Amino acid sequence: MQWGFRTFERSEFVTEMTLKSALQDVKETTLAAVSGLLGKLEYLASLRHGHGRYQHWGMEVVHGSESSERALRTAHAEVVSGVLRTPLETLEEDLQKSSENSGVSPREYVEELRERFDDLLPGERKDTPAASHLNSVLVALSSLEKNRGRATRSTS
């Protein structure tokens, strides 16, 4: 018996699809489209719904709900960590950029973050050192924005 082999020509228009982990997808696609560290923090907080679970339709379709949940929670923790490691001066600049993209003033933006503080942390516990540190950062940014407004008015 003779085996027949077919030869196939490979098209020059082949698109290569790379498979990304859910975490890579969040970082390299989803979060790459959001400008500013505070913008990323606010975005990830907005994905949290009932009982602190994350919901992102596209991620769930591609990676499944459990993988998406883990990836979003991990990315959220990494963004919080990034905010806490960033110098206040840099966060002031980031606040300008993040608020500009939201269409509100920096002062309004930071106040909105403070109002939604419970969603800004990826874990359920809000009595951690990270929570205290993040709260201090937001209070400092808020104070700087309030004082910036006063300084601007007094020089006019």
Side-chain angles (χ1 to χ4, degrees), residues 103-127:
V104 298
S105 73
R107 186 174 179 178
E108 289 173 296
Y109 191 83
V110 75
E111 291 308 319
E112 287 174 11
L113 288 176
R114 290 182 68 200
E115 288 172 13
R116 298 185 51 219
F117 184 76
D118 286 348
D119 293 331
L120 296 181
L121 295 161
E124 298 303 317
R125 292 188 51 214
K126 306 301 178 214
D127 61 346

PDB file of all heavy atoms in Angstrom, residues 103-127:
ATOM      1  N   GLY A 103     -11.991  64.135  31.814  1.00  0.00           N
ATOM      2  CA  GLY A 103     -12.807  65.315  31.544  1.00  0.00           C
ATOM      3  C   GLY A 103     -13.232  66.082  32.779  1.00  0.00           C
ATOM      4  O   GLY A 103     -14.194  66.835  32.735  1.00  0.00           O
ATOM      5  N   VAL A 104     -12.542  65.853  33.890  1.00  0.00           N
ATOM      6  CA  VAL A 104     -12.826  66.607  35.118  1.00  0.00           C
ATOM      7  C   VAL A 104     -11.541  67.247  35.608  1.00  0.00           C
ATOM      8  O   VAL A 104     -10.446  66.878  35.182  1.00  0.00           O
ATOM      9  CB  VAL A 104     -13.438  65.708  36.233  1.00  0.00           C
ATOM     10  CG1 VAL A 104     -14.767  65.129  35.805  1.00  0.00           C
ATOM     11  CG2 VAL A 104     -12.494  64.605  36.651  1.00  0.00           C
ATOM     12  N   SER A 105     -11.676  68.166  36.537  1.00  0.00           N
ATOM     13  CA  SER A 105     -10.489  68.823  37.090  1.00  0.00           C
ATOM     14  C   SER A 105      -9.724  67.836  37.967  1.00  0.00           C
ATOM     15  O   SER A 105     -10.306  66.874  38.486  1.00  0.00           O
ATOM     16  CB  SER A 105     -10.894  70.044  37.923  1.00  0.00           C
ATOM     17  OG  SER A 105     -11.479  69.623  39.146  1.00  0.00           O
ATOM     18  N   PRO A 106      -8.422  68.074  38.160  1.00  0.00           N
ATOM     19  CA  PRO A 106      -7.652  67.197  39.038  1.00  0.00           C
ATOM     20  C   PRO A 106      -8.249  67.123  40.445  1.00  0.00           C
ATOM     21  O   PRO A 106      -8.276  66.056  41.064  1.00  0.00           O
ATOM     22  CB  PRO A 106      -6.265  67.839  39.064  1.00  0.00           C
ATOM     23  CG  PRO A 106      -6.183  68.582  37.771  1.00  0.00           C
ATOM     24  CD  PRO A 106      -7.571  69.068  37.507  1.00  0.00           C
ATOM     25  N   ARG A 107      -8.743  68.260  40.920  1.00  0.00           N
ATOM     26  CA  ARG A 107      -9.332  68.294  42.263  1.00  0.00           C
ATOM     27  C   ARG A 107     -10.567  67.393  42.331  1.00  0.00           C
ATOM     28  O   ARG A 107     -10.732  66.615  43.274  1.00  0.00           O
ATOM     29  CB  ARG A 107      -9.687  69.732  42.623  1.00  0.00           C
ATOM     30  CG  ARG A 107     -10.162  69.896  44.031  1.00  0.00           C
ATOM     31  CD  ARG A 107     -10.348  71.362  44.328  1.00  0.00           C
ATOM     32  NE  ARG A 107     -10.829  71.541  45.671  1.00  0.00           N
ATOM     33  CZ  ARG A 107     -11.043  72.709  46.213  1.00  0.00           C
ATOM     34  NH1 ARG A 107     -10.804  73.814  45.537  1.00  0.00           N
ATOM     35  NH2 ARG A 107     -11.494  72.809  47.446  1.00  0.00           N
ATOM     36  N   GLU A 108     -11.441  67.472  41.335  1.00  0.00           N
ATOM     37  CA  GLU A 108     -12.634  66.617  41.298  1.00  0.00           C
ATOM     38  C   GLU A 108     -12.243  65.150  41.168  1.00  0.00           C
ATOM     39  O   GLU A 108     -12.843  64.283  41.813  1.00  0.00           O
ATOM     40  CB  GLU A 108     -13.531  66.994  40.117  1.00  0.00           C
ATOM     41  CG  GLU A 108     -14.241  68.321  40.252  1.00  0.00           C
ATOM     42  CD  GLU A 108     -14.966  68.694  38.969  1.00  0.00           C
ATOM     43  OE1 GLU A 108     -14.278  68.904  37.943  1.00  0.00           O
ATOM     44  OE2 GLU A 108     -16.217  68.752  39.005  1.00  0.00           O
ATOM     45  N   TYR A 109     -11.238  64.881  40.353  1.00  0.00           N
ATOM     46  CA  TYR A 109     -10.807  63.511  40.106  1.00  0.00           C
ATOM     47  C   TYR A 109     -10.317  62.852  41.395  1.00  0.00           C
ATOM     48  O   TYR A 109     -10.736  61.737  41.725  1.00  0.00           O
ATOM     49  CB  TYR A 109      -9.711  63.500  39.040  1.00  0.00           C
ATOM     50  CG  TYR A 109      -9.377  62.126  38.514  1.00  0.00           C
ATOM     51  CD1 TYR A 109     -10.147  61.554  37.508  1.00  0.00           C
ATOM     52  CD2 TYR A 109      -8.300  61.408  39.009  1.00  0.00           C
ATOM     53  CE1 TYR A 109      -9.853  60.299  37.016  1.00  0.00           C
ATOM     54  CE2 TYR A 109      -8.002  60.149  38.523  1.00  0.00           C
ATOM     55  CZ  TYR A 109      -8.780  59.601  37.521  1.00  0.00           C
ATOM     56  OH  TYR A 109      -8.486  58.349  37.042  1.00  0.00           O
ATOM     57  N   VAL A 110      -9.454  63.545  42.114  1.00  0.00           N
ATOM     58  CA  VAL A 110      -8.917  62.954  43.347  1.00  0.00           C
ATOM     59  C   VAL A 110     -10.017  62.814  44.405  1.00  0.00           C
ATOM     60  O   VAL A 110     -10.024  61.844  45.166  1.00  0.00           O
ATOM     61  CB  VAL A 110      -7.678  63.730  43.881  1.00  0.00           C
ATOM     62  CG1 VAL A 110      -8.053  65.049  44.528  1.00  0.00           C
ATOM     63  CG2 VAL A 110      -6.876  62.867  44.843  1.00  0.00           C
ATOM     64  N   GLU A 111     -10.980  63.740  44.421  1.00  0.00           N
ATOM     65  CA  GLU A 111     -12.087  63.608  45.374  1.00  0.00           C
ATOM     66  C   GLU A 111     -12.965  62.415  45.025  1.00  0.00           C
ATOM     67  O   GLU A 111     -13.442  61.708  45.909  1.00  0.00           O
ATOM     68  CB  GLU A 111     -12.911  64.896  45.433  1.00  0.00           C
ATOM     69  CG  GLU A 111     -12.173  66.067  46.079  1.00  0.00           C
ATOM     70  CD  GLU A 111     -11.587  65.751  47.449  1.00  0.00           C
ATOM     71  OE1 GLU A 111     -12.250  65.068  48.275  1.00  0.00           O
ATOM     72  OE2 GLU A 111     -10.431  66.179  47.705  1.00  0.00           O
ATOM     73  N   GLU A 112     -13.159  62.174  43.723  1.00  0.00           N
ATOM     74  CA  GLU A 112     -13.923  60.992  43.303  1.00  0.00           C
ATOM     75  C   GLU A 112     -13.199  59.712  43.712  1.00  0.00           C
ATOM     76  O   GLU A 112     -13.831  58.741  44.134  1.00  0.00           O
ATOM     77  CB  GLU A 112     -14.158  61.014  41.794  1.00  0.00           C
ATOM     78  CG  GLU A 112     -15.177  62.043  41.359  1.00  0.00           C
ATOM     79  CD  GLU A 112     -15.302  62.170  39.845  1.00  0.00           C
ATOM     80  OE1 GLU A 112     -14.757  61.311  39.104  1.00  0.00           O
ATOM     81  OE2 GLU A 112     -15.936  63.134  39.395  1.00  0.00           O
ATOM     82  N   LEU A 113     -11.874  59.708  43.576  1.00  0.00           N
ATOM     83  CA  LEU A 113     -11.102  58.538  44.014  1.00  0.00           C
ATOM     84  C   LEU A 113     -11.284  58.318  45.514  1.00  0.00           C
ATOM     85  O   LEU A 113     -11.471  57.185  45.963  1.00  0.00           O
ATOM     86  CB  LEU A 113      -9.614  58.712  43.688  1.00  0.00           C
ATOM     87  CG  LEU A 113      -9.210  58.618  42.223  1.00  0.00           C
ATOM     88  CD1 LEU A 113      -7.722  58.906  42.060  1.00  0.00           C
ATOM     89  CD2 LEU A 113      -9.564  57.259  41.636  1.00  0.00           C
ATOM     90  N   ARG A 114     -11.234  59.395  46.269  1.00  0.00           N
ATOM     91  CA  ARG A 114     -11.386  59.274  47.726  1.00  0.00           C
ATOM     92  C   ARG A 114     -12.774  58.757  48.099  1.00  0.00           C
ATOM     93  O   ARG A 114     -12.919  57.968  49.031  1.00  0.00           O
ATOM     94  CB  ARG A 114     -11.107  60.611  48.399  1.00  0.00           C
ATOM     95  CG  ARG A 114      -9.625  60.991  48.313  1.00  0.00           C
ATOM     96  CD  ARG A 114      -9.324  62.282  49.010  1.00  0.00           C
ATOM     97  NE  ARG A 114      -9.502  62.093  50.442  1.00  0.00           N
ATOM     98  CZ  ARG A 114      -9.689  63.091  51.294  1.00  0.00           C
ATOM     99  NH1 ARG A 114      -9.708  64.344  50.880  1.00  0.00           N
ATOM    100  NH2 ARG A 114      -9.841  62.852  52.584  1.00  0.00           N
ATOM    101  N   GLU A 115     -13.798  59.190  47.361  1.00  0.00           N
ATOM    102  CA  GLU A 115     -15.165  58.734  47.636  1.00  0.00           C
ATOM    103  C   GLU A 115     -15.329  57.247  47.339  1.00  0.00           C
ATOM    104  O   GLU A 115     -16.146  56.575  47.955  1.00  0.00           O
ATOM    105  CB  GLU A 115     -16.174  59.535  46.806  1.00  0.00           C
ATOM    106  CG  GLU A 115     -16.352  60.957  47.290  1.00  0.00           C
ATOM    107  CD  GLU A 115     -17.200  61.794  46.339  1.00  0.00           C
ATOM    108  OE1 GLU A 115     -17.855  61.218  45.431  1.00  0.00           O
ATOM    109  OE2 GLU A 115     -17.195  63.025  46.501  1.00  0.00           O
ATOM    110  N   ARG A 116     -14.574  56.754  46.391  1.00  0.00           N
ATOM    111  CA  ARG A 116     -14.668  55.343  45.995  1.00  0.00           C
ATOM    112  C   ARG A 116     -13.531  54.517  46.599  1.00  0.00           C
ATOM    113  O   ARG A 116     -13.154  53.489  46.062  1.00  0.00           O
ATOM    114  CB  ARG A 116     -14.630  55.247  44.471  1.00  0.00           C
ATOM    115  CG  ARG A 116     -15.801  55.956  43.823  1.00  0.00           C
ATOM    116  CD  ARG A 116     -15.845  55.769  42.340  1.00  0.00           C
ATOM    117  NE  ARG A 116     -15.737  54.364  42.001  1.00  0.00           N
ATOM    118  CZ  ARG A 116     -15.034  53.924  40.962  1.00  0.00           C
ATOM    119  NH1 ARG A 116     -14.395  54.743  40.177  1.00  0.00           N
ATOM    120  NH2 ARG A 116     -14.974  52.638  40.699  1.00  0.00           N
ATOM    121  N   PHE A 117     -12.979  54.963  47.691  1.00  0.00           N
ATOM    122  CA  PHE A 117     -11.785  54.347  48.275  1.00  0.00           C
ATOM    123  C   PHE A 117     -11.923  52.843  48.468  1.00  0.00           C
ATOM    124  O   PHE A 117     -10.980  52.090  48.196  1.00  0.00           O
ATOM    125  CB  PHE A 117     -11.429  55.022  49.603  1.00  0.00           C
ATOM    126  CG  PHE A 117     -10.169  54.491  50.205  1.00  0.00           C
ATOM    127  CD1 PHE A 117      -8.941  54.863  49.693  1.00  0.00           C
ATOM    128  CD2 PHE A 117     -10.204  53.586  51.251  1.00  0.00           C
ATOM    129  CE1 PHE A 117      -7.767  54.365  50.224  1.00  0.00           C
ATOM    130  CE2 PHE A 117      -9.034  53.079  51.785  1.00  0.00           C
ATOM    131  CZ  PHE A 117      -7.809  53.474  51.274  1.00  0.00           C
ATOM    132  N   ASP A 118     -13.080  52.377  48.925  1.00  0.00           N
ATOM    133  CA  ASP A 118     -13.246  50.942  49.187  1.00  0.00           C
ATOM    134  C   ASP A 118     -13.011  50.086  47.946  1.00  0.00           C
ATOM    135  O   ASP A 118     -12.571  48.951  48.051  1.00  0.00           O
ATOM    136  CB  ASP A 118     -14.635  50.650  49.746  1.00  0.00           C
ATOM    137  CG  ASP A 118     -14.762  51.100  51.192  1.00  0.00           C
ATOM    138  OD1 ASP A 118     -13.737  51.428  51.823  1.00  0.00           O
ATOM    139  OD2 ASP A 118     -15.911  51.130  51.693  1.00  0.00           O
ATOM    140  N   ASP A 119     -13.303  50.637  46.761  1.00  0.00           N
ATOM    141  CA  ASP A 119     -13.101  49.878  45.524  1.00  0.00           C
ATOM    142  C   ASP A 119     -11.665  49.964  45.005  1.00  0.00           C
ATOM    143  O   ASP A 119     -11.285  49.200  44.126  1.00  0.00           O
ATOM    144  CB  ASP A 119     -14.028  50.401  44.417  1.00  0.00           C
ATOM    145  CG  ASP A 119     -15.482  50.129  44.718  1.00  0.00           C
ATOM    146  OD1 ASP A 119     -15.770  49.130  45.402  1.00  0.00           O
ATOM    147  OD2 ASP A 119     -16.333  50.927  44.279  1.00  0.00           O
ATOM    148  N   LEU A 120     -10.880  50.905  45.523  1.00  0.00           N
ATOM    149  CA  LEU A 120      -9.529  51.115  44.999  1.00  0.00           C
ATOM    150  C   LEU A 120      -8.549  50.025  45.399  1.00  0.00           C
ATOM    151  O   LEU A 120      -7.507  49.871  44.773  1.00  0.00           O
ATOM    152  CB  LEU A 120      -8.975  52.469  45.440  1.00  0.00           C
ATOM    153  CG  LEU A 120      -9.708  53.700  44.917  1.00  0.00           C
ATOM    154  CD1 LEU A 120      -9.023  54.959  45.419  1.00  0.00           C
ATOM    155  CD2 LEU A 120      -9.789  53.694  43.407  1.00  0.00           C
ATOM    156  N   LEU A 121      -8.869  49.290  46.446  1.00  0.00           N
ATOM    157  CA  LEU A 121      -7.986  48.220  46.913  1.00  0.00           C
ATOM    158  C   LEU A 121      -8.522  46.873  46.449  1.00  0.00           C
ATOM    159  O   LEU A 121      -9.719  46.612  46.548  1.00  0.00           O
ATOM    160  CB  LEU A 121      -7.879  48.255  48.437  1.00  0.00           C
ATOM    161  CG  LEU A 121      -7.203  49.508  48.962  1.00  0.00           C
ATOM    162  CD1 LEU A 121      -7.520  49.712  50.423  1.00  0.00           C
ATOM    163  CD2 LEU A 121      -5.709  49.422  48.741  1.00  0.00           C
ATOM    164  N   PRO A 122      -7.641  46.004  45.945  1.00  0.00           N
ATOM    165  CA  PRO A 122      -8.099  44.731  45.397  1.00  0.00           C
ATOM    166  C   PRO A 122      -8.598  43.734  46.436  1.00  0.00           C
ATOM    167  O   PRO A 122      -9.403  42.877  46.129  1.00  0.00           O
ATOM    168  CB  PRO A 122      -6.872  44.193  44.664  1.00  0.00           C
ATOM    169  CG  PRO A 122      -5.723  44.886  45.283  1.00  0.00           C
ATOM    170  CD  PRO A 122      -6.218  46.207  45.766  1.00  0.00           C
ATOM    171  N   GLY A 123      -8.168  43.842  47.665  1.00  0.00           N
ATOM    172  CA  GLY A 123      -8.587  42.892  48.699  1.00  0.00           C
ATOM    173  C   GLY A 123      -9.845  43.355  49.404  1.00  0.00           C
ATOM    174  O   GLY A 123     -10.318  44.471  49.216  1.00  0.00           O
ATOM    175  N   GLU A 124     -10.375  42.498  50.208  1.00  0.00           N
ATOM    176  CA  GLU A 124     -11.588  42.829  50.954  1.00  0.00           C
ATOM    177  C   GLU A 124     -11.270  43.629  52.218  1.00  0.00           C
ATOM    178  O   GLU A 124     -12.088  44.398  52.681  1.00  0.00           O
ATOM    179  CB  GLU A 124     -12.345  41.545  51.328  1.00  0.00           C
ATOM    180  CG  GLU A 124     -12.824  40.750  50.124  1.00  0.00           C
ATOM    181  CD  GLU A 124     -13.713  41.557  49.187  1.00  0.00           C
ATOM    182  OE1 GLU A 124     -14.592  42.288  49.666  1.00  0.00           O
ATOM    183  OE2 GLU A 124     -13.507  41.467  47.962  1.00  0.00           O
ATOM    184  N   ARG A 125     -10.078  43.454  52.782  1.00  0.00           N
ATOM    185  CA  ARG A 125      -9.718  44.144  54.026  1.00  0.00           C
ATOM    186  C   ARG A 125      -9.229  45.549  53.724  1.00  0.00           C
ATOM    187  O   ARG A 125      -8.406  45.765  52.859  1.00  0.00           O
ATOM    188  CB  ARG A 125      -8.628  43.373  54.759  1.00  0.00           C
ATOM    189  CG  ARG A 125      -9.128  42.058  55.295  1.00  0.00           C
ATOM    190  CD  ARG A 125      -8.127  41.378  56.182  1.00  0.00           C
ATOM    191  NE  ARG A 125      -7.645  42.272  57.209  1.00  0.00           N
ATOM    192  CZ  ARG A 125      -6.400  42.245  57.683  1.00  0.00           C
ATOM    193  NH1 ARG A 125      -5.542  41.369  57.215  1.00  0.00           N
ATOM    194  NH2 ARG A 125      -6.027  43.079  58.621  1.00  0.00           N
ATOM    195  N   LYS A 126      -9.741  46.498  54.486  1.00  0.00           N
ATOM    196  CA  LYS A 126      -9.372  47.903  54.283  1.00  0.00           C
ATOM    197  C   LYS A 126      -8.528  48.438  55.436  1.00  0.00           C
ATOM    198  O   LYS A 126      -8.244  49.612  55.500  1.00  0.00           O
ATOM    199  CB  LYS A 126     -10.635  48.769  54.134  1.00  0.00           C
ATOM    200  CG  LYS A 126     -11.591  48.290  53.067  1.00  0.00           C
ATOM    201  CD  LYS A 126     -10.965  48.233  51.702  1.00  0.00           C
ATOM    202  CE  LYS A 126     -11.956  47.706  50.690  1.00  0.00           C
ATOM    203  NZ  LYS A 126     -11.383  46.924  49.645  1.00  0.00           N
ATOM    204  N   ASP A 127      -8.118  47.548  56.348  1.00  0.00           N
ATOM    205  CA  ASP A 127      -7.338  47.975  57.510  1.00  0.00           C
ATOM    206  C   ASP A 127      -5.873  47.568  57.397  1.00  0.00           C
ATOM    207  O   ASP A 127      -5.191  47.358  58.384  1.00  0.00           O
ATOM    208  CB  ASP A 127      -7.952  47.406  58.792  1.00  0.00           C
ATOM    209  CG  ASP A 127      -7.968  45.877  58.809  1.00  0.00           C
ATOM    210  OD1 ASP A 127      -7.747  45.265  57.736  1.00  0.00           O
ATOM    211  OD2 ASP A 127      -8.205  45.310  59.882  1.00  0.00           O
TER     212      ASP A 127
END
